[in-house]
Amino acid sequence: MIEKPRQSFAGLWNISFGFFGIQIGFALQNANMSRIFQTFGAKIDDLPWLWVAAPLTGLLVQPVIGHMSDRTWLGRLGRRRPYFFAGALLAALSLFAMPLAPALLFAAVMLWVLDASLNVSMEPFRAFVGDMLRKDQHAAGYAVQTAFIGAGAVVGSIFPWALEHLGISNLAVGGGIPDTVHYAFWFGGGALFLSVLWTVVTTREYAPDAMAAFDGSAGVDEQAAPLLATRGYATSLVWLAAGMFVIWEVGQLGLEKEVYLLGTLLLGYGLASAAAIALARAGSPANMLSSIVGDFSGMPVLMKRLAVAQFFSWSALFIMWINTTPIVTQVFFGAADATDPLYQKGANWVDALFATYNGVAAIAALTLLPFLAARIGQARTHIVGLLCGAAGYASFFVMPDRHWLLLSEVGIGIAWASILAMPYAILASSLPQKKLGIYMGLFNVFVVVPQLLVATAMGSIMKRFFPGEPIWTMAFAAATLLLAALAMTRVDRLMRG
């Protein structure tokens, strides 16, 4: 087996620079979509349902793109780069269209298009680092990628706030979207496309024969689907039963309508699993559905344990993205009405807070995390990062004013850097190279499923137990990061043998 050439810092830069623009897009979405929805009259209880597009598109898109990119080779365009480019083009167009939304429905539809496009670009970038780097550079590669994610998020998060201070109108005149948001989204669309184009132009992927030489094997392993043919339908029936039970309970317990989506997803996976088994038994082992379901059910043990930590980590993050705007505007600015100038001022302060945690993440990824990983290992470093995030969320309850929230964002930023870097560095060094795309796509299931659970269940929980008090969502976020840290102790024990 031949070792890949060692990449210089310039090579690491070029490989991950596209993520700078992708994260500008995600940051504009994360910091402003609740604001846009509320501007069009959405209530706090409706925000999780409106946000459901983000995780649902990731759940559907990323495994498919991972499966396809493992099997793609377009000569000079390569394996992953065609997906970078196509997704970036569609996402840029979506960012240009979003602030022109005339009503709530249009904004919700554009969120679906934007998030699907961002996921098409983002998923192959995770595998791209593993493709291009030797194992002893994986941690450095994902650290640089995380630094670009943090830097891009700073730019995307701070831009509306900066435009306000440059004299651009931040008022929602006639119930519309402020000019600060218009210009920020248009800038973000251009920056996203150009940064991804930089990576496409400045990198050259290894051809399939070269990758086979590096990995010591050839082609894509198709063994998952044939193994699926040996299984019965019992597990599929369990998923179907679970879905029907959840749907039934919505009516019995008077839960919010969003929970129907959770039941539908469980039913959908049960049907997909049964169809995949049937196709595999019928002698069609190479079909996409059987391959994806087979790989999902046959994940390595390390990946399964990491998935548990990832599940709880992203539950906390999604809670934060949905609820920080209503928390800050209501608790720290005393404004719950989106037409109130104080609300818009508070929403811009959320942009500053999000820029802070992303800036901290960029610095931590290149300094603190490598320092800790070299001394205590990647798994324990991730545990430390998650505990910092839990402290940051919990501190929302004790901060005396909005300026002290900047200190809360330091802990959240350290956690964000660790969540973006450590699990992927651990995975990339332990997974077979020929299936890196599909496994990275499947790992994303444990990023998006918790977001779907939050989107479907959090509204019911808050309405029943804490009506009109969104700050209590931060207690849920802190608790889930503590559970993530506990789950990482099992990963640490496995890695240490």
Side-chain angles (χ1 to χ4, degrees), residues 326-347:
I327 289 169
V328 172
T329 54
Q330 179 176 317
V331 177
F332 294 92
F333 283 81
D337 186 349
T339 62
D340 188 333
L342 278 177
Y343 175 94
Q344 296 298 333
K345 193 173 184 65

Side-chain angles (χ1 to χ4, degrees), residues 177-207:
I177 298 171
D179 287 344
T180 52
V181 178
H182 276 84
Y183 295 134
F185 272 67
W186 294 340
F187 163 80
L192 187 157
F193 182 75
L194 291 175
S195 65
V196 172
L197 186 62
W198 177 278
T199 290
V200 171
V201 171
T202 60
T203 57
R204 181 70 61 84
E205 297 184 67
Y206 296 114

Side-chain angles (χ1 to χ4, degrees), residues 93 152 299 368-369 423:
L93 293 174
M299 289 186 299
L368 178 62
L369 296 186

Side-chain angles (χ1 to χ4, degrees), residues 213-265:
F214 293 141
D215 196 39
S217 60
V220 176
D221 184 7
E222 299 285 4
Q223 293 303 308
L227 288 175
L228 199 64
T230 65
R231 297 181 183 175
Y233 292 97
T235 303
S236 302
L237 292 174
V238 170
W239 286 106
L240 289 168
M244 289 186 286
F245 177 76
V246 169
I247 291 172
W248 183 75
E249 284 293 319
V250 173
Q252 295 298 310
L253 300 178
L255 302 177
E256 294 296 302
K257 61 184 180 300
E258 295 92 313
V259 184
Y260 279 119
L261 177 61
L262 175 59
T264 302
L265 287 172

